Amino acid sequence: MQLELLQENYGHNLDDALIQEIAESGIIKTYEKDDIIIDINQTLKYIPLLLSGHVKVLREDDEGNELLIYVLEAGETCTMSLTCCMGTHKSKIRAVAEKKSTLLMIPVEKMTNWFHNNESWRNFILESYQMRFDEMLQTIDNIAFMKMDERLLKYLKNKAGLHDSNTINIIHQEIAEDLHTSRVVVSRLLKQLENSKKIKLSRNKIELLDL
């Protein structure tokens, strides 16, 4: 199963020999929804490859408020954790399972060796850096240039696309934490979106109507 999931999610990027070596070197771990996979100030000894599920990557301010940076899907890795590992720094992000997720944890020393000796791994890592960098720029643009109601609607559409469903099971507090705002603000804006016929609200559930 481990080898099959690796081939399915990473076979288009990594060569067969490396896939086999990753399967032999990695440790499978499964996390339930809201489990912390990587925490802030944690010393990282393993690099996560996401085999199934979704993982939220968050930053935290001095008061403990969180901001969603990006979401990982199967076939991806967290480049912010890669940076910490390669520089032997402690983690500056928190990675949380958004749903039940299975990851393959790769020892740091293996990753470093592959980066220097395997072209497919090196290209995968560099492409991952570029993708995450673009997503972080988009997050900054959203905060700097978009109104909160626009950010909220975009967040909901991204969430719906991620789960391939117009219906999102989520509480207002979770949205507020991801968008770094208050639950009261989120609830008020959701009501406005419902009044404008863009969404339909139910208990712990939001249905998008204008996709």
Side-chain angles (χ1 to χ4, degrees), residues 102-121:
T102 301
L103 295 95
L104 190 65
M105 312 304 279
I106 308 298
V108 172
E109 58 271 18
K110 289 285 186 181
M111 181 207 75
T112 304
N113 180 58
W114 294 335
F115 189 82
H116 292 294
N117 298 298
N118 187 283
E119 184 179 3
S120 68
W121 177 263

PDB file of all heavy atoms in Angstrom, residues 102-121:
ATOM      1  N   THR A 102      -2.604  10.731   5.924  1.00  0.00           N
ATOM      2  CA  THR A 102      -1.497   9.789   6.043  1.00  0.00           C
ATOM      3  C   THR A 102      -0.249  10.401   5.422  1.00  0.00           C
ATOM      4  O   THR A 102      -0.296  10.901   4.297  1.00  0.00           O
ATOM      5  CB  THR A 102      -1.821   8.463   5.335  1.00  0.00           C
ATOM      6  OG1 THR A 102      -2.996   7.894   5.926  1.00  0.00           O
ATOM      7  CG2 THR A 102      -0.677   7.473   5.484  1.00  0.00           C
ATOM      8  N   LEU A 103       0.842  10.372   6.186  1.00  0.00           N
ATOM      9  CA  LEU A 103       2.097  10.967   5.727  1.00  0.00           C
ATOM     10  C   LEU A 103       3.206   9.947   5.817  1.00  0.00           C
ATOM     11  O   LEU A 103       3.199   9.047   6.667  1.00  0.00           O
ATOM     12  CB  LEU A 103       2.466  12.193   6.564  1.00  0.00           C
ATOM     13  CG  LEU A 103       1.523  13.383   6.477  1.00  0.00           C
ATOM     14  CD1 LEU A 103       0.508  13.351   7.604  1.00  0.00           C
ATOM     15  CD2 LEU A 103       2.304  14.696   6.526  1.00  0.00           C
ATOM     16  N   LEU A 104       4.189  10.104   4.949  1.00  0.00           N
ATOM     17  CA  LEU A 104       5.407   9.310   5.004  1.00  0.00           C
ATOM     18  C   LEU A 104       6.519  10.242   5.480  1.00  0.00           C
ATOM     19  O   LEU A 104       6.812  11.248   4.831  1.00  0.00           O
ATOM     20  CB  LEU A 104       5.738   8.734   3.628  1.00  0.00           C
ATOM     21  CG  LEU A 104       6.850   7.692   3.597  1.00  0.00           C
ATOM     22  CD1 LEU A 104       6.424   6.438   4.357  1.00  0.00           C
ATOM     23  CD2 LEU A 104       7.205   7.322   2.157  1.00  0.00           C
ATOM     24  N   MET A 105       7.119   9.916   6.619  1.00  0.00           N
ATOM     25  CA  MET A 105       8.132  10.774   7.211  1.00  0.00           C
ATOM     26  C   MET A 105       9.522  10.300   6.766  1.00  0.00           C
ATOM     27  O   MET A 105       9.917   9.160   7.015  1.00  0.00           O
ATOM     28  CB  MET A 105       8.020  10.740   8.734  1.00  0.00           C
ATOM     29  CG  MET A 105       6.591  10.934   9.247  1.00  0.00           C
ATOM     30  SD  MET A 105       5.795  12.460   8.683  1.00  0.00           S
ATOM     31  CE  MET A 105       6.481  13.641   9.829  1.00  0.00           C
ATOM     32  N   ILE A 106      10.256  11.196   6.099  1.00  0.00           N
ATOM     33  CA  ILE A 106      11.572  10.877   5.537  1.00  0.00           C
ATOM     34  C   ILE A 106      12.669  11.470   6.421  1.00  0.00           C
ATOM     35  O   ILE A 106      12.646  12.668   6.720  1.00  0.00           O
ATOM     36  CB  ILE A 106      11.719  11.455   4.116  1.00  0.00           C
ATOM     37  CG1 ILE A 106      10.547  11.031   3.230  1.00  0.00           C
ATOM     38  CG2 ILE A 106      13.057  11.034   3.516  1.00  0.00           C
ATOM     39  CD1 ILE A 106      10.428   9.566   3.014  1.00  0.00           C
ATOM     40  N   PRO A 107      13.651  10.674   6.858  1.00  0.00           N
ATOM     41  CA  PRO A 107      14.764  11.221   7.658  1.00  0.00           C
ATOM     42  C   PRO A 107      15.487  12.343   6.906  1.00  0.00           C
ATOM     43  O   PRO A 107      15.700  12.252   5.699  1.00  0.00           O
ATOM     44  CB  PRO A 107      15.686  10.011   7.868  1.00  0.00           C
ATOM     45  CG  PRO A 107      14.783   8.817   7.697  1.00  0.00           C
ATOM     46  CD  PRO A 107      13.775   9.222   6.655  1.00  0.00           C
ATOM     47  N   VAL A 108      15.843  13.381   7.631  1.00  0.00           N
ATOM     48  CA  VAL A 108      16.469  14.566   7.027  1.00  0.00           C
ATOM     49  C   VAL A 108      17.723  14.212   6.237  1.00  0.00           C
ATOM     50  O   VAL A 108      17.954  14.734   5.141  1.00  0.00           O
ATOM     51  CB  VAL A 108      16.802  15.602   8.119  1.00  0.00           C
ATOM     52  CG1 VAL A 108      17.622  16.743   7.533  1.00  0.00           C
ATOM     53  CG2 VAL A 108      15.538  16.141   8.740  1.00  0.00           C
ATOM     54  N   GLU A 109      18.537  13.314   6.773  1.00  0.00           N
ATOM     55  CA  GLU A 109      19.799  12.993   6.101  1.00  0.00           C
ATOM     56  C   GLU A 109      19.563  12.365   4.730  1.00  0.00           C
ATOM     57  O   GLU A 109      20.355  12.564   3.802  1.00  0.00           O
ATOM     58  CB  GLU A 109      20.663  12.073   6.969  1.00  0.00           C
ATOM     59  CG  GLU A 109      20.014  10.751   7.352  1.00  0.00           C
ATOM     60  CD  GLU A 109      19.211  10.830   8.646  1.00  0.00           C
ATOM     61  OE1 GLU A 109      18.877  11.952   9.071  1.00  0.00           O
ATOM     62  OE2 GLU A 109      18.939   9.767   9.221  1.00  0.00           O
ATOM     63  N   LYS A 110      18.466  11.627   4.585  1.00  0.00           N
ATOM     64  CA  LYS A 110      18.127  11.051   3.286  1.00  0.00           C
ATOM     65  C   LYS A 110      17.776  12.154   2.297  1.00  0.00           C
ATOM     66  O   LYS A 110      18.215  12.147   1.143  1.00  0.00           O
ATOM     67  CB  LYS A 110      16.941  10.096   3.436  1.00  0.00           C
ATOM     68  CG  LYS A 110      17.264   8.800   4.153  1.00  0.00           C
ATOM     69  CD  LYS A 110      18.052   7.875   3.254  1.00  0.00           C
ATOM     70  CE  LYS A 110      18.265   6.520   3.889  1.00  0.00           C
ATOM     71  NZ  LYS A 110      19.046   5.603   3.033  1.00  0.00           N
ATOM     72  N   MET A 111      16.976  13.103   2.742  1.00  0.00           N
ATOM     73  CA  MET A 111      16.551  14.197   1.886  1.00  0.00           C
ATOM     74  C   MET A 111      17.753  14.985   1.368  1.00  0.00           C
ATOM     75  O   MET A 111      17.834  15.332   0.185  1.00  0.00           O
ATOM     76  CB  MET A 111      15.612  15.129   2.653  1.00  0.00           C
ATOM     77  CG  MET A 111      15.090  16.293   1.827  1.00  0.00           C
ATOM     78  SD  MET A 111      14.683  17.728   2.833  1.00  0.00           S
ATOM     79  CE  MET A 111      16.320  18.336   3.218  1.00  0.00           C
ATOM     80  N   THR A 112      18.694  15.256   2.260  1.00  0.00           N
ATOM     81  CA  THR A 112      19.882  16.016   1.881  1.00  0.00           C
ATOM     82  C   THR A 112      20.707  15.264   0.845  1.00  0.00           C
ATOM     83  O   THR A 112      21.175  15.835  -0.148  1.00  0.00           O
ATOM     84  CB  THR A 112      20.740  16.311   3.126  1.00  0.00           C
ATOM     85  OG1 THR A 112      19.950  16.994   4.092  1.00  0.00           O
ATOM     86  CG2 THR A 112      21.938  17.173   2.761  1.00  0.00           C
ATOM     87  N   ASN A 113      20.867  13.974   1.051  1.00  0.00           N
ATOM     88  CA  ASN A 113      21.631  13.145   0.111  1.00  0.00           C
ATOM     89  C   ASN A 113      20.958  13.102  -1.257  1.00  0.00           C
ATOM     90  O   ASN A 113      21.613  13.256  -2.299  1.00  0.00           O
ATOM     91  CB  ASN A 113      21.775  11.735   0.682  1.00  0.00           C
ATOM     92  CG  ASN A 113      22.568  10.826  -0.239  1.00  0.00           C
ATOM     93  OD1 ASN A 113      23.712  11.110  -0.584  1.00  0.00           O
ATOM     94  ND2 ASN A 113      21.953   9.731  -0.643  1.00  0.00           N
ATOM     95  N   TRP A 114      19.635  12.917  -1.264  1.00  0.00           N
ATOM     96  CA  TRP A 114      18.904  12.857  -2.531  1.00  0.00           C
ATOM     97  C   TRP A 114      18.975  14.187  -3.275  1.00  0.00           C
ATOM     98  O   TRP A 114      19.030  14.216  -4.495  1.00  0.00           O
ATOM     99  CB  TRP A 114      17.441  12.485  -2.289  1.00  0.00           C
ATOM    100  CG  TRP A 114      17.254  11.098  -1.760  1.00  0.00           C
ATOM    101  CD1 TRP A 114      18.087  10.024  -1.914  1.00  0.00           C
ATOM    102  CD2 TRP A 114      16.159  10.633  -0.964  1.00  0.00           C
ATOM    103  NE1 TRP A 114      17.585   8.925  -1.268  1.00  0.00           N
ATOM    104  CE2 TRP A 114      16.404   9.255  -0.684  1.00  0.00           C
ATOM    105  CE3 TRP A 114      15.003  11.225  -0.466  1.00  0.00           C
ATOM    106  CZ2 TRP A 114      15.531   8.493   0.080  1.00  0.00           C
ATOM    107  CZ3 TRP A 114      14.127  10.469   0.286  1.00  0.00           C
ATOM    108  CH2 TRP A 114      14.389   9.117   0.559  1.00  0.00           C
ATOM    109  N   PHE A 115      18.945  15.281  -2.527  1.00  0.00           N
ATOM    110  CA  PHE A 115      18.973  16.600  -3.170  1.00  0.00           C
ATOM    111  C   PHE A 115      20.254  16.763  -3.994  1.00  0.00           C
ATOM    112  O   PHE A 115      20.239  17.379  -5.064  1.00  0.00           O
ATOM    113  CB  PHE A 115      18.874  17.710  -2.126  1.00  0.00           C
ATOM    114  CG  PHE A 115      18.692  19.076  -2.720  1.00  0.00           C
ATOM    115  CD1 PHE A 115      17.440  19.525  -3.109  1.00  0.00           C
ATOM    116  CD2 PHE A 115      19.784  19.912  -2.924  1.00  0.00           C
ATOM    117  CE1 PHE A 115      17.270  20.787  -3.670  1.00  0.00           C
ATOM    118  CE2 PHE A 115      19.624  21.170  -3.496  1.00  0.00           C
ATOM    119  CZ  PHE A 115      18.365  21.607  -3.863  1.00  0.00           C
ATOM    120  N   HIS A 116      21.347  16.224  -3.497  1.00  0.00           N
ATOM    121  CA  HIS A 116      22.630  16.374  -4.192  1.00  0.00           C
ATOM    122  C   HIS A 116      22.849  15.298  -5.256  1.00  0.00           C
ATOM    123  O   HIS A 116      23.630  15.512  -6.196  1.00  0.00           O
ATOM    124  CB  HIS A 116      23.784  16.325  -3.183  1.00  0.00           C
ATOM    125  CG  HIS A 116      23.831  17.505  -2.271  1.00  0.00           C
ATOM    126  ND1 HIS A 116      24.097  18.788  -2.700  1.00  0.00           N
ATOM    127  CD2 HIS A 116      23.616  17.611  -0.928  1.00  0.00           C
ATOM    128  CE1 HIS A 116      24.059  19.635  -1.686  1.00  0.00           C
ATOM    129  NE2 HIS A 116      23.766  18.946  -0.600  1.00  0.00           N
ATOM    130  N   ASN A 117      22.161  14.151  -5.119  1.00  0.00           N
ATOM    131  CA  ASN A 117      22.481  13.019  -5.983  1.00  0.00           C
ATOM    132  C   ASN A 117      21.345  12.529  -6.876  1.00  0.00           C
ATOM    133  O   ASN A 117      21.578  11.646  -7.710  1.00  0.00           O
ATOM    134  CB  ASN A 117      22.964  11.838  -5.125  1.00  0.00           C
ATOM    135  CG  ASN A 117      24.235  12.161  -4.364  1.00  0.00           C
ATOM    136  OD1 ASN A 117      25.268  12.439  -4.968  1.00  0.00           O
ATOM    137  ND2 ASN A 117      24.168  12.140  -3.041  1.00  0.00           N
ATOM    138  N   ASN A 118      20.150  13.089  -6.733  1.00  0.00           N
ATOM    139  CA  ASN A 118      19.035  12.622  -7.544  1.00  0.00           C
ATOM    140  C   ASN A 118      18.329  13.799  -8.199  1.00  0.00           C
ATOM    141  O   ASN A 118      17.762  14.653  -7.512  1.00  0.00           O
ATOM    142  CB  ASN A 118      18.042  11.836  -6.676  1.00  0.00           C
ATOM    143  CG  ASN A 118      16.950  11.180  -7.505  1.00  0.00           C
ATOM    144  OD1 ASN A 118      16.011  11.827  -7.945  1.00  0.00           O
ATOM    145  ND2 ASN A 118      17.076   9.870  -7.717  1.00  0.00           N
ATOM    146  N   GLU A 119      18.373  13.843  -9.520  1.00  0.00           N
ATOM    147  CA  GLU A 119      17.823  14.990 -10.251  1.00  0.00           C
ATOM    148  C   GLU A 119      16.314  15.116 -10.068  1.00  0.00           C
ATOM    149  O   GLU A 119      15.795  16.226  -9.926  1.00  0.00           O
ATOM    150  CB  GLU A 119      18.154  14.868 -11.732  1.00  0.00           C
ATOM    151  CG  GLU A 119      17.692  16.072 -12.553  1.00  0.00           C
ATOM    152  CD  GLU A 119      18.043  15.954 -14.020  1.00  0.00           C
ATOM    153  OE1 GLU A 119      18.596  14.903 -14.417  1.00  0.00           O
ATOM    154  OE2 GLU A 119      17.759  16.906 -14.777  1.00  0.00           O
ATOM    155  N   SER A 120      15.594  13.991 -10.057  1.00  0.00           N
ATOM    156  CA  SER A 120      14.132  14.058  -9.942  1.00  0.00           C
ATOM    157  C   SER A 120      13.716  14.612  -8.579  1.00  0.00           C
ATOM    158  O   SER A 120      12.769  15.398  -8.482  1.00  0.00           O
ATOM    159  CB  SER A 120      13.498  12.678 -10.168  1.00  0.00           C
ATOM    160  OG  SER A 120      13.803  11.759  -9.133  1.00  0.00           O
ATOM    161  N   TRP A 121      14.439  14.225  -7.513  1.00  0.00           N
ATOM    162  CA  TRP A 121      14.142  14.753  -6.183  1.00  0.00           C
ATOM    163  C   TRP A 121      14.464  16.235  -6.106  1.00  0.00           C
ATOM    164  O   TRP A 121      13.699  17.037  -5.570  1.00  0.00           O
ATOM    165  CB  TRP A 121      14.920  13.994  -5.118  1.00  0.00           C
ATOM    166  CG  TRP A 121      14.731  14.527  -3.720  1.00  0.00           C
ATOM    167  CD1 TRP A 121      15.558  15.388  -3.045  1.00  0.00           C
ATOM    168  CD2 TRP A 121      13.626  14.266  -2.846  1.00  0.00           C
ATOM    169  NE1 TRP A 121      15.052  15.665  -1.804  1.00  0.00           N
ATOM    170  CE2 TRP A 121      13.860  14.992  -1.642  1.00  0.00           C
ATOM    171  CE3 TRP A 121      12.477  13.492  -2.944  1.00  0.00           C
ATOM    172  CZ2 TRP A 121      12.986  14.960  -0.571  1.00  0.00           C
ATOM    173  CZ3 TRP A 121      11.593  13.449  -1.870  1.00  0.00           C
ATOM    174  CH2 TRP A 121      11.857  14.189  -0.704  1.00  0.00           C
TER     175      TRP A 121
END
